[in-house]
Each structure stands twice: as structure tokens, then as C-alpha cells.
Amino acid sequence: QVQLVESGGGSVQAGGSLRLSCVASGYFDNRDCMGWFRQAPGKEREGVAAIKSDGSTNYADSVKGRFTISKDNARNTLYLQMNSLKPEDTAMYYCAAGPVGCSAAAGRLSSVHYWGRGTQVTVSS
């Protein structure tokens, strides 16, 4: 079993920044694909950003140029740097881990084996 624990959420004004962190523990392979999803009340869950086994990244069009996903393998930690935040970014953000050699497109992992419990991001006007 792998445990994923997110942190770094909070409430900010539009235009502000936050950095989310996700620490993986348990039987975790640093080559696993990882990513961030988000879900706003009444809306479907959407992929935000993903990093694959080869280190390549991809993003949802709505966050491209504003968000950056990165990983520190030595610390088993995934990050999401969020800049120029907009009210429509308000959502619960979830860390996810998938298998080695996963596929990902438009910020969404094709296969997820483990989920974090989420961290809330609220962006006010």
C-alpha cells in the first residue's frame, strides 16, 4: 500500500500563489507516474498536471503557463506550484500515483492506483 499526503492548500486572493506538496510513503517506486487532479463542488473531477516515468510533464489547457508540476525523488515528494490563481481554480486538489510507464494527456493520468485525501484551495475575487 502507498500513502499520499497533500499539504499546502489555503485561501488566497486572485492573482496569488500557492505551492502544494504531496509526500508518498509505503511501497512506492520513484518511477511511478504522479499527478494532480481537482474537483470543485458540483463539477466533475479533472486532471490538472502529470509527470510520467521519464520525467516528462503535461498540463490541462486551463492551467498551462500558470502551474508547474515537479518531483523530488530523494524526498518522495511531488509539488504543484500554482501562480496567477483565478477564482475558477477553487477546488479540492488531490495527489495521485499511477504505475510505471503510465500514459498521460492534458494533465490527466490514464491509470491511478493511489489517491491522497485532498487539500482545499480557495481563490477569492
Side-chain angles (χ1 to χ4, degrees), residues 28-124:
F28 180 74
D29 188 332
N30 283 328
R31 298 170 298 171
D32 284 353
C33 293
M34 299 192 74
W36 293 94
F37 292 76
R38 67 186 182 186
Q39 187 168 23
K43 292 185 168 59
E44 295 183 348
R45 183 180 62 192
E46 63 176 344
V48 176
I51 183 165
K52 299 197 289 183
S53 298
D54 64 0
S56 62
T57 60
N58 62 78
Y59 300 89
D61 287 343
S62 60
V63 308
K64 195 173 298 181
R66 299 188 297 120
F67 291 11
T68 302
I69 188 171
S70 62
K71 186 169 60 172
D72 184 341
N73 286 334
R75 296 171 174 82
N76 283 346
T77 301
L78 181 75
Y79 302 98
L80 184 67
Q81 178 67 46
M82 304 185 294
N83 298 326
S84 301
L85 283 162
K86 304 174 180 179
E88 51 262 47
D89 295 319
T90 295
M92 185 72 75
Y93 284 70
Y94 298 92
C95 178
V100 174
C102 75
S103 297
R108 187 178 185 91
L109 297 172
S110 61
S111 180
V112 175
H113 290 172
Y114 303 100
W115 294 93
R117 298 185 69 175
T119 185
Q120 178 68 40
V121 171
T122 302
V123 184
S124 60

